[in-house]
Amino acid sequence: MESISYIIDTLYAIFAMTLIIFMVPGFAMLEAGIVRTKNVTAVLTINTLIYAIASLAFLLIGYSIAFGDFGSDSMSKWAAFMFQMAFVGKVVNIMSGGVSERAKVVPLAVFTVIMAAVLYPLVVNVTWGSNFLDGTILSLSMYDLAGSTVIHSTGGWALLAAILIIGARKGRYTKEGGIRVIPASNIPLVTLGAFLLWIGWFGFNGGSVGSIASKDNADAVALTIMNTNTAGLAGAIMVACFMQFRYKKLDLTMILNGALGGLVAVTAGPDLYDIYTPILVGAIGGIIVVFGVSFFDKIRIDDPVGALSVHLLNGIWGTLAVGIFASNGSDITLLGQVKGILLVAVFAFTSSFIILFIINKIMPLRADNDEEMQGLDVEECGLEAYPEFKRAF
Amino acid sequence: MESISYIIDTLYAIFAMTLIIFMVPGFAMLEAGIVRTKNVTAVLTINTLIYAIASLAFLLIGYSIAFGDFGSDSMSKWAAFMFQMAFVGKVVNIMSGGVSERAKVVPLAVFTVIMAAVLYPLVVNVTWGSNFLDGTILSLSMYDLAGSTVIHSTGGWALLAAILIIGARKGRYTKEGGIRVIPASNIPLVTLGAFLLWIGWFGFNGGSVGSIASKDNADAVALTIMNTNTAGLAGAIMVACFMQFRYKKLDLTMILNGALGGLVAVTAGPDLYDIYTPILVGAIGGIIVVFGVSFFDKIRIDDPVGALSVHLLNGIWGTLAVGIFASNGSDITLLGQVKGILLVAVFAFTSSFIILFIINKIMPLRADNDEEMQGLDVEECGLEAYPEFKRAF
Amino acid sequence: MESISYIIDTLYAIFAMTLIIFMVPGFAMLEAGIVRTKNVTAVLTINTLIYAIASLAFLLIGYSIAFGDFGSDSMSKWAAFMFQMAFVGKVVNIMSGGVSERAKVVPLAVFTVIMAAVLYPLVVNVTWGSNFLDGTILSLSMYDLAGSTVIHSTGGWALLAAILIIGARKGRYTKEGGIRVIPASNIPLVTLGAFLLWIGWFGFNGGSVGSIASKDNADAVALTIMNTNTAGLAGAIMVACFMQFRYKKLDLTMILNGALGGLVAVTAGPDLYDIYTPILVGAIGGIIVVFGVSFFDKIRIDDPVGALSVHLLNGIWGTLAVGIFASNGSDITLLGQVKGILLVAVFAFTSSFIILFIINKIMPLRADNDEEMQGLDVEECGLEAYPEFKRAF
């Protein structure tokens, strides 16, 4: 029986990991669809490099910082590694999307090494890992099943740091206080990417239960996946209703971001909710996206893909939601959740800011004006994304 | 051992469900690739909303109409729910594709609620579910493993009702009796979508066996998936040969629809056939698509994606095929199959027609002429699908 | 317990097979993105037909040539078949990509029948199958877990034969010795395709371990997938560094081909390496792609997608690598690997050349000049890939 559990959990971890890897093309397609055609290749290149670099850096350095060493009794240690490895790139994907159309590829690749080898592993260490803070006053009791804070907020704080250093895209905010709308260039890619992410989330959250090899665990896994999905549904529907009633336009990019917002929000505790609570958690997540996008534009934080609203704000909301809706009878407290959010916030923002600041001194993060106007594809990659298609402008 | 079955079947249902969810981007890409660029965002929006709305409506209302209540002894009840939930949106996807380029998003979304909450659950109730007709003269003995009738014909009848109410796209049929060819705008998307559907079918049909946790069931699942695939192969090859010999043109959209027609046709009984019968079932399915598309154009039923031929005609053919090829020694009869087809036809067509008729009175299903000429994307969604690409016309 | 193994291995084979089927849209998107817009539909059509024809030919004829008959004790024989069937089309996909933009669809479809029904099954017979050469001097002892030689080199040799018969694209090489760069038309599709292939590789190599139903096998499967992935990472990173230091341009198509080269290279022995060796195997694989692409252009072998470098050269390198890095204590020898490479090379190249030569006499493999200039889509398929998009040239 022990050996059966080992086998089934290994198979299950491989399955869950594979779904998460679908998020690599997921992020790539989503972001490539949102940016202008002149920056598409650069976005795809950094997404590809993030997966390659973050995964290898985590294999060589990060994993042992987070978890001590390769090892697992309950499943193959290689499957356990692959499952964790699949997470790493996501943190930087979240960040790279928000600085697209003006951040250069190579410095982002350098930052990826440091994030995947050191920064993210330290966050994991004190939340899911061996916890070097154990016994100290900073020791965390936050519940965060699959990373509303550990993954999404960490990536979001890194993004905020990056935007503060890099600034907005040229022409995005006018001197008169106006905001220039820059439409997504390829809506089918955005849609495809969003659904690949959605499906990947089943592996992300479902796999984070850690085992499927008992009746209780099988139920927990299935409930987790069901609740994850439900929050995505609710986020999409909430935003669709809002857009329709407010603007009479069903803005699809916003609806999809609403779904993703709901998915981020439920990620901290999908195993703890009954089957109806995720409707509320996800619907609020969708609304947070709508208002978050306006808010960041108002304060001139330029985030082309809405990553701050989807990942940072909803990462926070989702972690709080566990404290609000799932604290009865357990040792989860709203205070414990807040403490976790704050500690990760301070660490992730500060460390990312410092590292990015240093990188920026050595090799500018931002493309120069000519390159930005021309688009990053030609200068950075030597490849236009759609060279045969005539541009409308 | 019981607990092992429970675990394995839960894992298997989650796997199968995940494959089916790939059909969401599958339908979205297929349809977005077939319609003209000016209607792509609208098509993607309704596909997204169908998944969100149908799934949530099924969770809140439909599932208990179909099956009584959440519950399953043989696997996690949440996994059992998710598997069934993954089916629901498909019924409306089938329908929405066929009315694309002129049907408005919001009334289709309203219809989605009713279809997923009531109409489809009633069909499931009397076929796969608790069967409130049991003991009456209308009680069905139709064999339909994964929904040639329950899913595909139901969606197809709803589509026929919708087309009768909405009418053809402007300019599609000329007064002189001619048919204007409207070419697909993005063939790679069509191909991607078709293969995502194909892969999803493995989960759809394979998962419908219900269990993999015995040697016999493992064989039944593997045979089901193999036969499902074979019918798709045969449909594609048959249509390719036909197109090549008849027109000297390998029309890829027709070949892919031929594969999908074969897949629909085999869906009623892939577990019952030997490994060669699906070649015949699928090849006939392919031919039905070719002639069906011409037939519907001749009677001026305008179905841009060929859904009536793929899903309705092949749903009927597939259900009959079980009666023809798999009735020996079992209690499956051709008559029983015909009875099932007819009962579902009458119910699905009539109820859809009535609901759509009422919706149409309250909020017109059809875009007005200006909007249709301009394309639905700008008016409905406020987003062009490819704003930077210059149109050739 | 026996029955549990049977069930789990059936489920595992179905999972692995499904991932491999994602390589069908993977190859299709990759190749459709690389060729010019005027040849996209033709590329998608042949990819679709290859899957359909190769799979059906293998079902009807090839499988029994390779393995004797349908049968397996350790899992459902239908799952065992489906897993093997998923491989077949890949061999021809490798080949069709390299002759795209000038090879006609119908003769390639005819070649697909012969490759899948006879040639590839003969290669499998003497390597993984019943081995009719057993006991003769030609009997092989090559270790090739998932087909660096059996799949990738076989496809590569067939491609080389095809290019020698068909020749280069018009205008690719000038009389003055210049090489005209023909840029990829759709980089997002290339990226999507590459990642679908990458994910498919987890099933390809992981499934080739043959069983997951013991602790040792679960470890072997997980290690195989981990090492497979690592080689892909290393290939991508190596090429990215090379391109950046040498040209200051991160050519994404080359980076992705570097990843694929690493994946091909590791395929012969991912279960035999420790977790660091694949970094070396994959990095060398990436470099082989970079220099291979230049080399084949220098000798005027025109291969639009780089398939000879990715699949043929790395298939050879990967098979040698097993002999170099994994021969200690086992009966694997470098000599045995070389013998296998050579025997498959002679057979695959010669037989493909003869068959293609004969086909070419009956129906020319190459499109005529007008058709090539106009693009194959209109003449072969009657469908432009992007009819509404205005071409820049």
Side-chain angles (χ1 to χ4, degrees):
Chain A
M1 183 61 205
E2 253 171 76
S3 142
I4 293 284
S5 300
Y6 185 96
I7 294 161
I8 291 177
D9 277 339
T10 299
L11 174 55
Y12 177 58
I14 290 170
F15 168 67
M17 174 276 295
T18 304
L19 295 187
I20 304 173
I21 305 296
F22 274 103
M23 299 174 102
V24 178
F27 269 110
M29 295 303 115
L30 180 79
E31 297 177 6
I34 286 183
V35 300
R36 283 167 289 184
T37 52
K38 63 184 178 181
N39 297 313
V40 169
T41 306
V43 158
L44 293 168
T45 304
I46 187 60
N47 271 280
T48 301
L49 290 181
I50 285 169
Y51 177 61
I53 293 170
S55 301
L56 196 63
F58 195 66
L59 166 61
L60 293 175
I61 301 168
Y63 189 73
S64 58
I65 291 178
F67 294 101
D69 61 355
F70 289 94
S72 156
D73 293 333
S74 58
M75 68 171 76
S76 169
K77 61 186 171 185
W78 312 122
F81 167 76
M82 281 298 285
F83 181 71
Q84 291 297 334
M85 185 211 78
F87 281 38
V88 190
K90 306 303 154 283
V91 181
V92 199
N93 282 133
I94 290 165
M95 175 238 181
S96 78
V99 291
S100 53
E101 305 212 282
R102 74 272 200 208
K104 289 168 78 90
V105 175
V106 174
L108 283 180
V110 173
F111 180 71
T112 302
V113 177
I114 295 159
M115 176 57 101
V118 184
L119 304 189
Y120 169 75
L122 285 173
V123 174
V124 172
N125 183 293
V126 301
T127 49
W128 300 336
S130 39
N131 194 8
F132 75 91
L133 296 176
D134 195 21
T136 73
I137 193 172
L138 290 171
S139 182
L140 296 180
S141 62
M142 172 176 65
Y143 191 89
D144 185 12
L145 179 74
S148 283
T149 287
V150 177
I151 305 281
H152 297 281
S153 292
T154 298
W157 289 118
L159 170 56
L160 188 61
I163 297 179
L164 292 179
I165 291 171
I166 295 179
R169 287 169 291 175
K170 289 198 79 64
R172 172 73 170 142
Y173 304 114
T174 63
K175 284 177 187 164
E176 297 77 27
I179 298 167
R180 194 179 133 224
V181 174
I182 298 176
S185 65
N186 194 324
I187 302 291
L189 287 188
V190 176
T191 310
L192 175 64
F195 277 107
L196 291 179
L197 290 175
W198 195 321
I199 291 168
W201 237 288
F202 295 171
F204 216 109
N205 290 11
S208 292
V209 172
S211 170
I212 196 171
S214 74
K215 265 190 149 174
D216 283 352
N217 279 334
D219 282 337
V221 165
L223 179 65
T224 292
I225 293 174
M226 179 173 166
N227 282 344
T228 298
N229 188 59
T230 300
L233 305 173
I237 293 171
M238 191 68 185
V239 173
C241 292
F242 183 89
M243 299 310 285
Q244 182 63 20
F245 288 118
R246 185 87 167 70
Y247 303 105
K248 297 269 174 221
K249 301 278 180 208
L250 289 160
D251 180 329
L252 180 59
T253 56
M254 199 60 97
I255 292 169
L256 292 168
N257 264 343
L260 297 178
L263 289 162
V264 171
V266 82
T267 287
D271 54 329
L272 302 179
Y273 301 132
D274 65 44
I275 64 172
Y276 302 107
T277 304
I279 300 173
L280 186 61
V281 172
I284 294 174
I287 284 302
I288 286 174
V289 170
V290 173
F291 286 96
V293 166
S294 300
F295 169 76
F296 287 113
D297 264 340
K298 203 162 287 169
I299 61 170
R300 297 182 159 229
I301 297 285
D302 181 22
D303 169 13
V305 301
L308 287 172
S309 306
V310 171
H311 299 279
L312 177 56
L313 298 188
N314 270 305
I316 295 170
W317 156 236
T319 309
L320 291 174
V322 170
I324 296 166
F325 298 117
S327 57
N328 54 319
S330 70
D331 50 0
I332 300 166
T333 63
L334 189 53
L335 201 73
Q337 300 297 99
V338 171
K339 187 180 166 193
I341 292 167
L342 290 177
L343 190 86
V344 171
V346 169
F347 175 74
F349 179 79
T350 312
S351 63
S352 297
F353 192 92
I354 293 169
I355 300 292
L356 287 164
F357 188 86
I358 294 170
I359 291 174
N360 195 35
K361 292 287 167 201
I362 302 166
M363 47 175 114
L365 281 162
R366 182 161 189 139
D368 63 34
N369 284 356
D370 283 359
E371 190 182 342
E372 187 177 346
M373 293 313 290
Q374 186 199 18
L376 277 74
D377 288 359
V378 173
E379 183 70 20
E380 298 279 295
C381 306
L383 291 178
E384 287 183 77
Y386 310 104
E388 295 187 38
F389 296 87
K390 199 160 188 176
R391 293 233 197 106
F393 46 83
Chain B
M1 183 61 206
E2 252 172 77
S3 141
I4 294 283
S5 300
Y6 186 97
I7 294 161
I8 291 177
D9 277 338
T10 299
L11 174 55
Y12 177 58
I14 290 169
F15 167 67
M17 174 276 295
T18 304
L19 294 187
I20 303 173
I21 305 295
F22 274 103
M23 299 175 102
V24 178
F27 269 111
M29 295 303 115
L30 180 80
E31 296 177 6
I34 286 183
V35 301
R36 283 167 290 183
T37 52
K38 63 184 178 181
N39 297 311
V40 169
T41 306
V43 159
L44 294 167
T45 304
I46 187 60
N47 272 280
T48 301
L49 290 181
I50 285 170
Y51 178 60
I53 292 170
S55 301
L56 196 62
F58 195 67
L59 166 62
L60 294 176
I61 302 167
Y63 189 74
S64 58
I65 291 178
F67 294 102
D69 61 355
F70 289 95
S72 157
D73 293 333
S74 58
M75 68 171 76
S76 169
K77 62 186 170 186
W78 312 123
F81 166 77
M82 282 298 284
F83 181 72
Q84 291 298 334
M85 185 211 78
F87 282 37
V88 189
K90 306 302 155 284
V91 180
V92 199
N93 282 133
I94 290 165
M95 176 238 181
S96 78
V99 290
S100 54
E101 304 212 283
R102 74 271 201 207
K104 289 168 78 91
V105 175
V106 174
L108 284 180
V110 173
F111 179 72
T112 302
V113 177
I114 295 159
M115 177 57 100
V118 184
L119 305 189
Y120 170 76
L122 285 174
V123 174
V124 172
N125 183 294
V126 301
T127 49
W128 300 335
S130 40
N131 194 8
F132 75 92
L133 295 176
D134 196 20
T136 73
I137 193 172
L138 289 171
S139 181
L140 296 180
S141 62
M142 174 176 63
Y143 191 89
D144 186 11
L145 180 74
S148 283
T149 288
V150 177
I151 305 283
H152 297 280
S153 291
T154 297
W157 289 118
L159 170 57
L160 187 62
I163 296 179
L164 292 179
I165 291 171
I166 295 178
R169 287 169 291 176
K170 288 199 80 64
R172 172 72 170 143
Y173 305 115
T174 63
K175 284 177 187 164
E176 298 77 27
I179 298 166
R180 195 179 133 225
V181 175
I182 299 175
S185 65
N186 193 323
I187 302 292
L189 286 189
V190 176
T191 310
L192 175 64
F195 277 106
L196 292 179
L197 289 176
W198 195 321
I199 291 168
W201 237 288
F202 294 172
F204 216 109
N205 290 10
S208 292
V209 172
S211 170
I212 197 172
S214 74
K215 264 190 150 173
D216 283 352
N217 278 335
D219 283 336
V221 165
L223 179 66
T224 292
I225 293 174
M226 178 172 167
N227 281 345
T228 298
N229 188 60
T230 301
L233 305 173
I237 292 171
M238 191 68 185
V239 173
C241 291
F242 183 89
M243 300 310 284
Q244 182 64 19
F245 288 118
R246 184 90 168 70
Y247 303 105
K248 297 269 172 219
K249 301 278 180 208
L250 289 160
D251 179 329
L252 180 59
T253 57
M254 199 60 98
I255 292 169
L256 292 169
N257 264 342
L260 298 178
L263 289 162
V264 170
V266 82
T267 288
D271 54 330
L272 301 180
Y273 301 131
D274 65 43
I275 63 172
Y276 302 107
T277 304
I279 300 173
L280 187 61
V281 172
I284 294 174
I287 285 302
I288 287 173
V289 170
V290 173
F291 286 97
V293 165
S294 299
F295 168 76
F296 286 113
D297 265 340
K298 203 162 287 169
I299 61 170
R300 296 181 159 230
I301 298 284
D302 182 23
D303 169 12
V305 300
L308 288 172
S309 307
V310 170
H311 298 280
L312 176 55
L313 298 187
N314 271 304
I316 294 170
W317 156 237
T319 311
L320 292 174
V322 170
I324 297 167
F325 298 117
S327 58
N328 53 320
S330 71
D331 51 0
I332 299 166
T333 62
L334 189 52
L335 201 72
Q337 300 297 99
V338 171
K339 187 179 165 193
I341 292 166
L342 290 177
L343 190 86
V344 171
V346 169
F347 174 74
F349 179 79
T350 312
S351 62
S352 297
F353 192 92
I354 293 169
I355 300 294
L356 287 164
F357 189 86
I358 295 170
I359 292 174
N360 195 36
K361 291 288 167 201
I362 302 165
M363 48 176 114
L365 281 161
R366 181 160 189 139
D368 64 34
N369 286 355
D370 283 359
E371 189 181 342
E372 187 176 347
M373 293 313 291
Q374 187 199 16
L376 276 74
D377 288 1
V378 174
E379 184 69 20
E380 298 279 297
C381 307
L383 290 177
E384 286 183 77
Y386 309 106
E388 295 187 39
F389 296 87
K390 199 160 187 177
R391 292 235 198 104
F393 45 83
Chain C
M1 183 60 205
E2 253 171 75
S3 141
I4 294 283
S5 300
Y6 186 97
I7 294 161
I8 290 177
D9 278 339
T10 298
L11 174 55
Y12 176 58
I14 290 170
F15 167 67
M17 174 277 295
T18 303
L19 294 187
I20 303 173
I21 305 295
F22 274 104
M23 299 175 102
V24 178
F27 269 113
M29 294 303 115
L30 181 79
E31 297 178 5
I34 286 184
V35 301
R36 284 167 290 184
T37 51
K38 62 184 178 180
N39 296 312
V40 168
T41 307
V43 158
L44 294 168
T45 304
I46 186 61
N47 271 280
T48 301
L49 290 182
I50 285 170
Y51 178 60
I53 292 171
S55 301
L56 196 62
F58 195 66
L59 166 62
L60 293 175
I61 301 168
Y63 189 74
S64 58
I65 291 178
F67 294 102
D69 62 354
F70 288 95
S72 156
D73 292 333
S74 59
M75 69 172 75
S76 169
K77 61 187 172 185
W78 312 123
F81 167 77
M82 281 300 284
F83 181 71
Q84 291 297 333
M85 187 211 76
F87 281 37
V88 190
K90 306 303 154 283
V91 180
V92 199
N93 282 133
I94 290 165
M95 176 237 181
S96 78
V99 291
S100 53
E101 304 212 285
R102 75 269 201 209
K104 289 168 79 89
V105 175
V106 174
L108 284 179
V110 173
F111 180 72
T112 302
V113 176
I114 295 160
M115 177 57 101
V118 184
L119 304 189
Y120 169 75
L122 285 173
V123 174
V124 172
N125 182 294
V126 301
T127 49
W128 300 336
S130 39
N131 194 9
F132 75 91
L133 295 176
D134 195 21
T136 73
I137 193 172
L138 290 171
S139 182
L140 297 180
S141 62
M142 173 176 63
Y143 191 89
D144 186 11
L145 180 75
S148 283
T149 287
V150 177
I151 305 282
H152 296 280
S153 291
T154 298
W157 288 118
L159 170 57
L160 187 62
I163 297 179
L164 292 180
I165 290 171
I166 295 178
R169 288 170 289 175
K170 288 199 81 63
R172 171 71 170 144
Y173 304 115
T174 64
K175 283 177 187 164
E176 298 77 28
I179 298 167
R180 195 180 133 225
V181 175
I182 298 176
S185 65
N186 193 324
I187 302 292
L189 286 189
V190 176
T191 310
L192 175 64
F195 277 107
L196 291 180
L197 290 176
W198 195 322
I199 291 168
W201 237 289
F202 295 171
F204 217 108
N205 290 10
S208 292
V209 172
S211 170
I212 198 173
S214 74
K215 264 190 151 174
D216 282 353
N217 279 334
D219 283 336
V221 165
L223 179 65
T224 292
I225 294 173
M226 179 172 167
N227 282 345
T228 298
N229 188 60
T230 300
L233 306 173
I237 292 171
M238 191 69 186
V239 173
C241 291
F242 183 88
M243 299 310 285
Q244 182 62 21
F245 288 119
R246 184 87 169 72
Y247 303 106
K248 297 268 173 221
K249 300 279 180 208
L250 289 160
D251 179 330
L252 180 59
T253 57
M254 199 60 98
I255 293 169
L256 292 169
N257 264 342
L260 297 179
L263 288 163
V264 170
V266 81
T267 288
D271 53 330
L272 302 179
Y273 302 131
D274 64 43
I275 63 171
Y276 302 107
T277 304
I279 300 174
L280 186 61
V281 173
I284 294 173
I287 284 303
I288 287 174
V289 170
V290 173
F291 286 96
V293 165
S294 300
F295 168 75
F296 286 113
D297 265 339
K298 202 162 287 168
I299 61 170
R300 297 181 158 228
I301 297 285
D302 181 23
D303 169 13
V305 301
L308 288 172
S309 306
V310 170
H311 298 279
L312 177 56
L313 297 188
N314 271 305
I316 294 171
W317 155 237
T319 310
L320 291 174
V322 170
I324 297 166
F325 299 117
S327 57
N328 54 319
S330 71
D331 50 0
I332 300 166
T333 62
L334 189 53
L335 200 73
Q337 299 298 98
V338 170
K339 188 180 165 192
I341 292 167
L342 290 177
L343 190 86
V344 170
V346 169
F347 174 74
F349 179 79
T350 312
S351 63
S352 297
F353 192 92
I354 293 170
I355 300 293
L356 287 164
F357 189 86
I358 295 170
I359 291 174
N360 195 36
K361 292 288 167 199
I362 302 166
M363 47 176 114
L365 282 162
R366 181 160 189 138
D368 64 34
N369 285 356
D370 283 358
E371 189 182 342
E372 188 176 347
M373 293 313 291
Q374 187 199 17
L376 276 74
D377 288 1
V378 174
E379 183 71 18
E380 298 278 297
C381 306
L383 290 177
E384 286 182 76
Y386 310 104
E388 295 187 38
F389 296 88
K390 199 161 188 176
R391 293 231 199 108
F393 46 83

